[in-house]
């Protein structure tokens, strides 16, 4: 997984493909398998995805097709792993940093109140511990200062769960797709990452529209 330096410029240039070409096989259980390099990015920056990515993507597709380093998505890669005899138990265990401290103090079924109590206790013991998610800057919070957009977003998401998912509305229905489209649009990180201003206003408005659509159509 490309994380360090995986900005949009490198994704537009298909840099992870060239890294994958230089990687050797790794052992998973009894099978020797090639690793998968996954690229991530934060969206359009400076026009590179619009202007540079299409031609570079086509170039890499032509070069990699039929080679020992083919392009594939994660589902296709997992299908290949299972076909070689790899079992889910053979995969390495990953978890966010520090979260094992929670599992050490909780048992299944303890509930959200116990979780909040444990998280608060660990934070008091270690100032590095938090439950806010990661940031490539290491200093920008995804949560603090964003109540104006997070509260409407949470409300719209809960309403979608209650009125659409729980009631078993078919995804084939136009009203389902319309509500889901607005919900997903309202949840993009752009609306709650760069501080207060027009973008957080956009996020709040989209969340409001989502809640209105769900309330009126279901």
């Amino acid at each position: 997984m490309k994380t360090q330096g995986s900005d949009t410029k490198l994704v537009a240039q298909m840099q992870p493909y060239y890294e994958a070409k230089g990687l050797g096989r790794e052992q998973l259980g009894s099978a020797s398998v090639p690793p998968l390099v996954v690229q991530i990015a934060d969206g359009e920056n400076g026009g590179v995805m619009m202007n540079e990515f299409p031609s570079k993507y086509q170039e890499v597709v032509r070069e990699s097709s039929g080679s020992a380093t083919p392009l594939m998505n994660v589902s296709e890669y997992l299908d290949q792993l299972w076909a070689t005899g790899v079992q889910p138990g053979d995969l390495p265990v990953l978890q966010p940093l520090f979260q094992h401290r929670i599992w050490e103090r909780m048992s299944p079924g303890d509930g959200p109140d116990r979780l909040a109590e444990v998280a608060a206790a660990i934070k008091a013991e270690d100032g590095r511990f938090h439950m806010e998610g990661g940031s490539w800057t290491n200093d920008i919070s995804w949560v603090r200062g964003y109540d104006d957009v997070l509260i409407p977003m949470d409300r719209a998401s809960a309403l979608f769960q209650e009125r659409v998912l729980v009631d078993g509305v078919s995804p084939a229905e136009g009203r389902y797709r319309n509500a889901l489209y607005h919900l997903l649009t309202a949840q993009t990180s752009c609306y709650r990452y760069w501080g207060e201003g027009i973008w957080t206003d956009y996020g709040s408005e989209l969340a409001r529209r989502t809640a209105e659509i769900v309330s009126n159509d279901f």
Side-chain angles (χ1 to χ4, degrees), residues 65-80:
S65 295
S67 75
T69 314
L71 270 65
M72 61 176 60
N73 60 39
V74 174
S75 295
E76 292 170 330
Y77 180 72
L78 290 175
D79 286 342
Q80 294 293 322

Side-chain angles (χ1 to χ4, degrees), residues 117-131:
E117 178 184 314
V118 169
I122 299 174
K123 185 172 179 59
E125 298 168 6
D126 186 347
R128 299 174 299 169
F129 178 86
H130 62 82
M131 301 282 288

Side-chain angles (χ1 to χ4, degrees), residues 42-43 142 146 185-195 199-200 203:
D42 58 356
W142 287 92
Y146 290 102
T185 302
Q187 291 179 335
T188 180
S189 63
C190 296
Y191 302 132
R192 62 182 190 89
Y193 192 74
W194 298 114
W199 281 102
T200 50

Side-chain angles (χ1 to χ4, degrees), residues 20 24 27 30 53 82 84 96 126 129 151 162 167 202 208 210:
Q27 197 71 26
S30 60
F53 173 75
W82 310 147
T84 63
D126 186 347
F129 178 86
I151 291 176
E162 295 166 4
D167 287 348
Y202 287 159
R208 185 197 67 78
T210 301

